Amino acid sequence: MDMTSPPEAFRKRLAELREALLRLSKALIDSERVGYEQAIGRISSPNHFLQLVMNDPWFAWLHPLSQLIVAMDEALDAKSPLTAAGADLLVKQARNLLVVAESGGGFAHHYFIALQRDPDVVLAHAEAAKILKSRKPA
């Protein structure tokens, strides 16, 4: 008997993870905005904020998470069915990205700092981690 899930099951699982990562991304962006405004000054408009998120080095560490969400969007919007291998690859990338490091640089270190600083980030991380834990690659 074939124990593989139909393509719709892969799509549902990936969509659930994508939603959790979107909530995590929002929590991280909101948290970074507070830090930015405390250190640099008030952000004058939503457009200014968008430009900062996209182009300012302060927010650059968040780009890998945004890129992963975009990759998930593309996989979910593809005309061809999502395969187990394709879904597992994206889940593995998410699992590898959401690792924290107390020292060093890059995403892992900034993520560690955000988790120490902001309870909303902790809650969003816990939600994503729960989904990742229940979605071990085949």
Side-chain angles (χ1 to χ4, degrees):
M1 183 163 108
D2 184 8
M3 299 302 286
T4 59
S5 300
E8 195 53 40
F10 301 131
R11 184 173 304 294
K12 182 179 177 195
R13 289 178 184 149
L14 193 59
E16 183 181 46
L17 178 57
R18 178 195 167 277
E19 289 298 318
L21 293 178
L22 275 174
R23 287 187 286 277
L24 177 59
S25 178
K26 182 182 181 330
L28 288 166
I29 289 170
D30 290 347
S31 182
E32 284 302 305
R33 180 181 185 148
V34 170
Y36 181 92
E37 288 186 331
Q38 289 173 343
I40 309 294
R42 188 178 161 282
I43 297 171
S44 60
S45 70
N47 186 47
H48 181 217
F49 183 48
L50 178 60
Q51 292 304 314
L52 289 170
V53 170
M54 291 176 25
N55 301 311
D56 192 280
W58 186 282
F59 297 92
W61 73 273
L62 295 167
H63 294 177
L65 180 56
S66 299
Q67 291 164 349
L68 178 58
I69 293 168
V70 168
M72 289 178 173
D73 286 342
E74 290 171 352
L76 290 166
D77 290 342
K79 302 288 186 230
S80 56
L82 184 64
T83 65
D88 284 349
L89 179 62
L90 290 166
V91 169
K92 183 178 180 183
Q93 288 174 350
R95 191 175 287 119
N96 290 340
L97 184 62
L98 299 187
V99 172
V100 297
E102 194 168 344
S103 60
F107 186 90
H109 180 64
H110 286 281
Y111 193 43
F112 171 81
I113 292 169
L115 284 164
Q116 302 305 306
R117 172 183 66 225
D118 193 324
D120 290 337
V121 173
V122 173
L123 292 173
H125 169 81
E127 178 187 359
K130 181 179 177 183
I131 292 168
L132 285 169
K133 186 176 182 181
S134 68
R135 306 289 188 240
K136 295 285 186 191

